[in-house]
Amino acid sequence: MIRAVKGTRDILPPSSEVWNRVEDASRRVFRTYNYREIRTPILEQTALFARGVGQETDIVSKEMYTFEDRDGSSLTLRPEATASVMRAYIEHRLDQQPGIQKLYYIGPMFRRERPQKGRYRQFFQIGAEAIGGESPAVDAEVIEMVIEILKAAGLEDFHLLLNSVGDPNCRPAYMAALKERLKDAAPRMCGDCQRRADTNPLRVLDCKVSADQPVIEALPSILDYLCGECRAHFDRVCAYLTGRGVPFEVKPRLVRGLDYYRRTTFEIVHGSLGAQNSVLGGGRYDGLAQALDAKIQAPGIGFSIGEDRLVMSVGEEGTLAVDLFVAPIGEAAFRHASLLAMELRRLGVSVELPPEGKLKRLLELANKLGARQTLILGDDEIQSGNYTLREMASGSQRTVTRDELISIWKKA
RNA sequence: GUGCCCAUAGCUCAGCUGGUAGAGCGCUGGAUUGUGGUUCCAGUGGCCGUGGGUUCAAAUCCCACUGGGCACCCCA
C-alpha cells in the first residue's frame, strides 16, 4: 500500500473544519490590522535559506529538504517563510511602496526532523511580517495582533514571553560574559549543558533540568548588557504593551535559534503541547536583508504560528452537519429536487441531494450526516406543490410550498 | 541523528508460559410499499505492519526494516 510519507499526514473532515476556522479567524484579524496576504513559492534556491536563516543553524545544516534540479542548481523546500518574504520584498522593491509593508502568509513548511507530537515534516504556519520600520510601536502592534489572532482562533490560557537579544553592538559583550561564567559553572551542570557551553552557550539558558536552574538563575542576563539604543527600544515595547493591557512576562533567558534576530524576541506557550509547548515564535530581524546581500535597508519584525499546534491546542471537534437534506423518492422527484437544490445553494444553503432511493434509506443517511432538516419530495409533494419539511431533532413535520421554503432561507 | 515504548478487522482493543484469530463499535441487509435516531435478527469484514530466523508448529520467541508514540538534539 502506498502511504503518506513519514512525518506528513492527511487532514480529513471533520478535522479540516477546525483548520478552516483557525485560518478564517486569522484572516479576519489580519485584515483589521491592514495586513495583506503574500504567497511565495514553496521552492526556493537553497542559498536563500543558507544565508537568510544561517549556515550554522540546525535547520540549514541538517533539517532541510534539499535536492538538485535537472540543471544542477540546488533547490530547497522552504523550512520557514520569513526569508522568502524578505526575498520577495527585495526582489520587488517593496521598500518603494508607501509606509511599512505588512504581509501575512498561511501555508506549508518542510523540515526533515524526527516526527513527534506537534512536530511534522510538513507543517503549517500562519505568519506575518512588518518590514520597513524600526519603531518599537511596530513591535507592539505585531504582538498585540498575534494575541488577538490566538483569541479569535479560540485559544485560551496562553502565556506571552518577551525578551531582547540585543544587536551586533551589544550582543558580543554579553556572549563573552556568558562564556566566561560558563567556564566555572558548566562543570556543575548536566551533560547536555556542558556540551552546549561550547557549541551553543545561549542554549544553556533554555535547559529544563531542574537541578541546573539555580546555576542558570545566577548566569548573567542579556538585559544587563543591552546598549542604550537596544535598552530604550525594549523599554518602549514593554511600555506600549502595558499601555494596551497586553500581559507579558519578561524572560531574559528566552533565546532564538535563528541568526537574523535582533532586539525584540517573543514566544507564546500553551500547556497542552508536551515538550513542544511553544505555539508561536517571533522577533525582530533587522539584519536579515543585509545577510541576503540586499542594498536596501529593510528592518522588520514578524512571527509565525505553528498551525498544527494551534489546532491541537484549541482542541475542538469539527462537524459534518449539513443545513438541508433533500430526499427524493423516485426519478421524477430527483429531477424536480435537483432544480430546487440549485436554487437553494445559490442562496448559500448547504444542501445534500443524494440519488433517489427508498425513504427509509434516505432518512437514515440524513441522520448520519447530521442534517438539521430534511425535505421529503415524492410524487405526492410534486403534484400538490406542498413539500414535507422534517425537523430531524424533533421529528416534527410540516407542509411548505416551494416559495415558502425559499423565503425561509432568504431570511436566514 | 540518539534513546525508550508500540504495531491484531474501517475504529478501539482482547488473544496467559508457541497449537495458524475474537469482542464492541462501524458498515450492509432484514423485521417496516413513503418516515431516521432506540430495539431485535442476520451478514460483511484480518497474508495478525514487512522480511528473515528458531521450531514438528509462530499473532505469540529472536533479528532487521518500515511506520507510529514519547523524550533528547533543536525548534514553531
Side-chain angles (χ1 to χ4, degrees):
Chain A
M1 184 171 56
I2 298 175
R3 296 191 293 188
V5 311
K6 184 187 180 90
T8 72
R9 56 181 178 154
D10 301 306
I11 298 165
L12 306 172
S15 150
S16 53
E17 290 294 313
V18 181
W19 286 71
N20 276 320
R21 279 206 295 276
V22 164
E23 290 172 18
D24 291 347
S26 302
R27 288 180 193 278
R28 274 200 305 278
V29 175
F30 280 135
R31 188 158 177 70
T32 62
Y33 282 81
N34 195 30
Y35 275 69
R36 306 300 170 114
E37 182 171 13
I38 179 170
R39 300 194 185 195
T40 65
I42 285 176
L43 273 177
E44 296 275 5
Q45 292 182 37
T46 301
L48 174 65
F49 305 114
R51 289 187 212 159
V53 178
Q55 189 68 56
E56 308 309 318
T57 60
D58 274 32
I59 293 178
V60 172
S61 62
K62 59 185 201 195
E63 293 173 3
M64 293 204 306
Y65 271 104
T66 296
F67 61 95
E68 192 174 280
D69 200 0
R70 290 189 188 179
D71 65 2
S73 57
S74 180
L75 301 181
T76 293
L77 257 35
R78 63 182 185 190
E80 55 107 49
T82 301
S84 296
V85 173
M86 183 57 82
R87 194 220 79 235
Y89 180 93
I90 296 164
E91 186 170 335
H92 301 290
R93 288 309 303 264
L94 297 185
D95 59 308
Q96 297 298 300
Q97 299 295 319
I100 294 168
Q101 289 298 297
K102 303 203 290 188
L103 304 165
Y104 79 87
Y105 59 85
I106 298 176
M109 311 292 159
F110 303 84
R111 283 186 206 171
R112 202 176 181 295
E113 298 176 293
R114 185 82 169 260
Q116 66 181 272
K117 190 182 187 70
R119 165 180 279 186
Y120 302 94
R121 289 185 168 187
Q122 175 176 328
F123 57 102
F124 293 80
Q125 290 189 330
I126 300 172
E129 316 291 349
I131 307 175
E134 291 183 285
S135 166
V138 181
D139 302 36
E141 185 181 88
V142 163
I143 292 169
E144 173 195 313
M145 175 173 72
V146 80
I147 285 173
E148 290 300 309
I149 289 172
L150 295 182
K151 285 180 180 168
L155 189 71
E156 293 169 351
D157 299 325
F158 52 86
H159 190 60
L160 170 63
L161 306 173
L162 188 67
N163 192 26
S164 173
V165 294
D167 68 9
N169 289 325
C170 48
R171 203 177 338 177
Y174 171 69
M175 292 298 291
L178 183 61
K179 283 179 184 169
E180 186 59 33
R181 285 289 297 279
L182 283 174
K183 279 183 191 168
D184 297 332
R188 289 182 281 125
M189 304 182 74
C190 68
D192 282 334
C193 283
Q194 295 183 28
R195 185 176 43 73
R196 290 180 188 126
D198 286 329
T199 60
N200 195 350
L202 288 177
R203 273 285 144 208
V204 174
L205 303 175
D206 217 23
C207 180
K208 296 173 187 79
V209 177
S210 56
D212 286 355
Q213 297 311 309
V215 184
I216 293 169
E217 293 291 335
L219 290 173
S221 163
I222 187 156
L223 294 178
D224 296 329
Y225 286 80
L226 293 182
C227 60
E229 289 182 2
C230 285
R231 181 79 233 179
H233 185 97
F234 184 66
D235 288 343
R236 287 182 67 193
V237 172
C238 292
Y240 285 138
L241 288 176
T242 302
R244 295 173 195 206
V246 176
F248 61 91
E249 176 192 344
V250 174
K251 192 186 173 197
R253 291 180 300 284
L254 174 65
V255 293
R256 289 264 79 107
L258 309 189
D259 289 357
Y260 53 61
Y261 282 107
R262 301 276 169 84
R263 296 186 173 169
T264 309
T265 61
F266 57 98
E267 185 167 317
I268 289 180
V269 294
H270 188 267
S272 69
L273 292 165
Q276 268 62 50
N277 67 345
S278 172
V279 73
L280 154 178
R284 178 162 279 285
Y285 44 81
D286 296 346
L288 177 55
Q290 198 181 353
L292 294 176
D293 294 332
K295 296 182 180 71
I296 59 177
Q297 289 296 308
I301 181 166
F303 64 82
S304 86
I305 299 170
E307 189 176 1
D308 304 77
R309 293 182 187 178
L310 178 55
V311 167
M312 196 180 306
S313 297
V314 301
E316 285 178 56
E317 293 295 312
T319 170
L320 288 170
V322 63
D323 293 333
L324 181 68
F325 186 98
V326 180
I329 307 159
E331 172 64 18
F334 176 79
R335 285 199 302 271
H336 188 91
S338 60
L339 293 174
L340 177 64
M342 184 163 63
E343 193 168 346
L344 287 165
R345 284 164 173 160
R346 284 175 175 159
L347 292 173
V349 186
S350 74
V351 177
E352 175 63 23
L353 173 62
E356 50 156 328
K358 296 200 301 187
L359 183 56
K360 176 180 160 60
R361 286 264 72 82
L362 292 169
L363 280 171
E364 231 172 73
L365 185 58
N367 184 54
K368 283 171 186 165
L369 296 184
R372 285 180 257 284
Q373 296 180 319
T374 296
L375 189 72
I376 298 170
L377 266 187
D379 294 339
D380 299 349
E381 281 80 4
I382 294 174
Q383 283 197 347
S384 67
N386 291 316
Y387 303 159
T388 302
L389 186 63
R390 181 179 181 86
E391 293 292 335
M392 294 305 285
S394 63
S396 64
Q397 297 188 169
R398 65 188 158 123
T399 302
V400 295
T401 65
R402 181 191 176 98
D403 288 345
E404 283 167 351
L405 184 70
I406 303 279
S407 67
I408 289 172
W409 289 102
K410 264 186 180 162
K411 276 185 283 181

